[in-house]
Amino acid sequence: DPDFSRVMEGIAANASYFEERAPWDDEFKQKEPKVTVAAAVNVLVGVGHAGPNIPLGINLPNAQWIREKHGSRSILLLNVLEAARGAMSDKALASFALPEEVKFIEAHRRGVTRTMVALHEIIGHGSGKASSTLRVDPAVALGETYSTLEEARAELVALYHIGDDKLVELGAFEDARAAAVVAYRGYVRGDLLMLRRLANASKIEDDHMRASHLIVQYLLRNSLGVERRVVDGRTYYVVTDIDAARAGVGTLLKKVMRIKATGDLAESRKLIGEYAVMFEPSLRDEVVERAKEAGVPAFIAFHVPTVRLVLGTDGKPKDVVVDSDKSFMSTMIEWDLLGP
């Protein structure tokens, strides 16, 4: 996608700009962060681990020392993101946003979600550096907590920078302040909505879900900018002060970056245990029921076509045919049979 790829390339070219403005200590900042690839693509086929739940974005490599020395590569899967948003966004807004919020969100949401994902991948995962005193990769030092902490760090970076006017210059959206309001409202609403996926669970297991839950629960308990509100018997998470909410994000981001950079396993376990794992069963039950009434899906799967190579009479490639006739179930069975 050439249009949003230009935005991503602009974000990558300004990686140092965002790194300098990060709220963590200077000793954990990269002097010249490198991004070797930043592009938005449209997916034709997703196989293997990409089916049927295709990721919205990818950042590689995972090793911290490689990121610091050689840079990282980020890809945004744009049509996957837009398909996922289209499948549930309006239904979720109708049931989980306050009526007075909806009109503002609909007016200013264009470009916000894709920019959040781009910031998460390019600036989030690609930023920061390990302490000079840490002798192993942070992933080794932080053990089972690393994935949750790193996903939370990337999300916090995106939230911290989403209201920067630099993104308007780069063509991401037209109004940085409005984009920040939309992003924060959507983020806290997303944590509430996430509970619909835990109908049969007693705790949160997925690292991405733990990361977002950690952030929102921290803001609810420690920030003056986000509150839990009950209206007509329904629970909402509401952003009451965008500046206070961003300040809370900055405080938590500074803490998370220090934990990662120094490999502080004890503090990582404490933070995740306090905010990321548990939820209220009664609130979960309320959300499950509301989501069902609104037609919000608990899971989104992607049905991809089959791509076949057509050979000519001379045995050489002649054409490529995209076949969308195969059913979702038969595709899943076929992939399962081809698996290990």
Side-chain angles (χ1 to χ4, degrees):
D1 183 271
D3 290 336
F4 200 68
S5 285
R6 281 192 287 271
V7 174
M8 291 185 65
E9 289 164 2
I11 291 172
N14 285 276
S16 293
Y17 170 91
F18 291 108
E19 185 88 22
E20 289 169 7
R21 285 157 179 75
W24 55 75
D25 294 342
D26 287 346
E27 64 178 303
F28 306 137
K29 292 183 179 180
Q30 293 187 49
K31 299 303 180 185
E32 296 181 4
K34 307 177 189 70
V35 182
T36 58
V37 175
V41 303
N42 289 309
V43 176
L44 176 61
V45 176
V47 296
H49 189 61
N53 190 12
I54 302 174
L56 305 181
I58 301 165
N59 176 273
L60 292 171
N62 291 321
Q64 182 65 27
W65 74 269
I66 300 178
R67 285 175 177 164
E68 292 180 23
K69 185 175 181 179
H70 300 290
S72 62
R73 297 165 287 165
S74 294
I75 301 293
L76 174 67
L77 310 184
L78 191 59
N79 61 333
V80 174
L81 186 152
E82 294 300 330
R85 190 190 65 78
M88 63 175 290
S89 181
D90 290 341
K91 295 174 183 177
L93 268 181
S95 185
F96 290 89
L98 291 170
E100 58 267 29
E101 295 178 319
V102 174
K103 190 173 182 180
F104 183 91
I105 293 169
E106 290 177 338
H108 297 285
R109 66 184 176 184
R110 180 174 175 78
V112 174
T113 301
R114 60 177 65 177
T115 305
M116 280 286 293
V117 176
L119 288 170
H120 172 110
E121 302 296 350
I122 301 169
I123 306 301
H125 287 307
S127 64
K129 70 175 184 179
S131 170
S132 58
T133 62
L134 187 64
R135 300 306 178 194
V136 296
D137 192 278
V140 175
L142 294 174
E144 79 284 357
T145 70
Y146 176 76
S147 291
T148 295
L149 194 82
E150 175 61 12
E151 290 303 326
R153 194 181 70 86
E155 291 283 81
L156 286 162
V157 168
L159 285 166
Y160 191 77
H161 293 301
I162 190 65
D164 198 301
D165 285 328
K166 176 65 71 176
L167 296 168
V168 176
E169 291 179 29
L170 298 174
F173 34 67
E174 296 180 353
D175 187 328
R177 178 81 174 183
V181 172
V182 170
Y184 276 68
R185 286 179 177 176
Y187 202 83
V188 299
R189 185 172 65 252
D191 182 59
L192 186 64
L193 192 60
M194 179 187 72
L195 296 176
R196 80 195 189 283
R197 298 175 57 188
L198 301 170
N200 301 308
S202 59
K203 61 182 180 179
I204 301 171
E205 300 285 359
D206 178 81
D207 289 316
H208 291 81
M209 294 169 69
R210 283 185 171 189
S212 61
H213 195 60
L214 187 162
I215 293 167
V216 176
Q217 293 306 306
Y218 180 92
L219 292 177
L220 282 167
R221 299 182 211 177
N222 298 283
S223 167
L224 297 176
V226 180
E227 70 176 29
R228 177 172 170 171
R229 190 181 299 175
V230 178
V231 179
D232 296 330
R234 292 189 164 199
T235 304
Y236 298 88
Y237 289 167
V238 183
V239 178
T240 56
D241 185 329
I242 186 64
D243 295 318
R246 183 175 184 268
V249 164
T251 299
L252 180 58
L253 178 52
K254 182 176 181 179
K255 180 194 293 282
V256 167
M257 184 68 241
R258 186 201 61 78
I259 291 172
K260 176 188 175 178
T262 60
D264 191 340
L265 178 58
E267 191 64 24
S268 184
R269 284 174 173 164
K270 180 181 177 182
L271 187 67
I272 291 170
E274 185 172 357
Y275 296 106
V277 179
M278 305 309 296
F279 60 87
E280 296 177 41
S282 59
L283 181 59
R284 182 268 318 275
D285 294 343
E286 175 196 328
V287 170
V288 167
E289 200 58 40
R290 285 165 62 184
K292 189 181 299 183
E293 290 175 6
V296 179
F299 183 83
I300 296 174
F302 296 89
H303 185 197
V304 301
T306 300
V307 180
R308 298 198 313 271
L309 180 66
V310 179
L311 301 178
T313 55
D314 58 358
K316 294 182 179 180
K318 178 183 178 183
D319 198 1
V320 174
V321 176
V322 178
D323 182 0
S324 300
D325 293 336
K326 190 177 293 185
S327 71
F328 177 78
M329 185 61 72
S330 63
T331 300
M332 292 297 101
I333 293 172
E334 181 179 301
W335 287 2
D336 188 55
L337 293 173
L338 291 172

